[in-house]
Amino acid sequence: MRLLLVEDNVPLADELLAGLQRQGYAVDWLADGRDAVYQGRSEPYDLIILDLGLPGLPGLDVLAQWRAAALAIPVLVLTARDSWAERIEGLKAGADDYLSKPFHPEELYLRIQALLRRSHGQANQPTLQAAGLHLDEGRQCVLRDGAEIQLTAAEFRLLRYFMLHPEQILSKSHLAEHLYDGETERDSNVLEVHVNHLRRKLGRSVIETRRGQGYRFGASPA
Ligand code: CA
């Protein structure tokens, strides 16, 4: 999953970037509100974390412009400590969730996981589930019939994307756009290697190849 972090406090942004990358997210970072309006609309993000106090353009205006342009991506706003007015204004402007500063990074990670599940029709599940698999996002491993299957970081990122989009045909270029940040070179051969590793661990039928179209996960459980 690919996230946009809009935060002008550099030490905080550095900490969050490193933490989110450890959580297996591809993250782009911006500090300016005007840049965020443009980039949020032009890149295919899965979720956006938006600070409200920003140079260039206030976060509330950034959010209002995204929603006016019918951008439906889940947005989690970061508000000042104890500012109920900011929380209310944020929710009114179209935020899906909020977190007041200071916060523990773990709370941010759990809220992101829940928001992503909710926006992909899994609101009623405490963990990500699809095709008989349970993904443990904290430990980055997968469970099937009670047995734990270990994953590499790259396999975890790919499987999480598949499990949030079961039975959808996903082209290699689409997958690359959602698994790598804007700075990383995208190599679809590498994706193919990770798909094959996942098949070896989870069974061949878990990921179907649609010739000329891409991959389809979870169509026929292994
Ligand atoms: Ca700020």
Side-chain angles (χ1 to χ4, degrees):
M1 307 301 276
R2 184 166 167 206
L3 314 186
L4 175 62
L5 171 66
V6 190
E7 170 60 69
D8 63 314
N9 176 332
V10 176
L12 176 62
D14 276 344
E15 185 194 343
L16 294 180
L17 263 175
L20 290 166
Q21 284 161 354
R22 276 195 301 275
Q23 296 290 310
Y25 298 107
V27 194
D28 293 331
W29 169 54
L30 292 175
D32 183 280
R34 280 164 309 195
D35 297 342
V37 170
Y38 172 77
Q39 195 158 321
R41 290 172 59 174
S42 55
E43 294 290 321
Y45 293 109
D46 297 296
L47 183 143
I48 297 173
I49 301 158
L50 177 68
D51 181 36
L52 293 187
L54 291 172
L57 190 70
L60 279 176
D61 294 350
V62 174
L63 180 55
Q65 290 200 28
W66 284 336
R67 293 314 189 208
L71 189 83
I73 300 170
V75 174
L76 187 154
V77 297
L78 303 179
T79 67
R81 182 205 305 256
D82 296 334
S83 174
W84 57 266
E86 274 197 352
R87 293 199 290 274
I88 288 173
E89 289 307 312
L91 292 167
K92 276 188 182 167
D96 298 277
D97 199 0
Y98 64 82
L99 206 47
S100 300
K101 293 179 181 176
F103 53 85
H104 194 287
E106 183 70 18
E107 184 175 359
L108 176 66
Y109 307 152
L110 291 171
R111 283 179 183 271
I112 290 171
Q113 291 169 18
L115 256 183
L116 288 172
R117 282 200 305 274
R118 201 192 307 163
S119 63
H120 290 83
Q122 290 212 15
N124 54 340
Q125 307 290 359
T127 59
L128 182 51
Q129 301 175 23
L133 302 172
H134 291 243
L135 196 67
D136 184 331
E137 294 182 78
R139 295 172 52 236
Q140 304 196 358
C141 64
V142 65
L143 293 140
R144 182 169 55 193
D145 302 328
E148 193 174 301
I149 302 162
Q150 300 300 319
L151 301 169
T152 65
E155 290 162 6
F156 168 73
R157 292 160 69 119
L158 179 60
L159 182 61
R160 176 164 58 192
Y161 197 85
F162 276 135
M163 288 179 71
L164 283 165
H165 302 85
E167 297 186 31
Q168 294 178 28
I169 296 172
L170 304 167
S171 70
K172 283 186 196 171
S173 60
H174 175 99
L175 284 170
E177 275 188 331
H178 287 268
L179 292 171
Y180 302 117
D181 61 46
E183 311 274 287
T184 306
E185 213 179 304
R186 292 158 195 182
D187 180 351
S188 59
N189 293 326
V190 172
L191 264 177
E192 218 170 289
V193 170
H194 296 315
V195 164
N196 284 328
H197 287 168
L198 282 177
R199 281 175 172 154
R200 219 169 290 159
K201 292 184 176 181
L202 305 171
R204 287 213 69 77
S205 60
V206 157
I207 303 161
E208 178 192 354
T209 298
R210 289 292 192 96
R211 221 158 283 286
Q213 293 181 298
Y215 298 109
R216 188 158 173 251
F217 168 83
S220 51

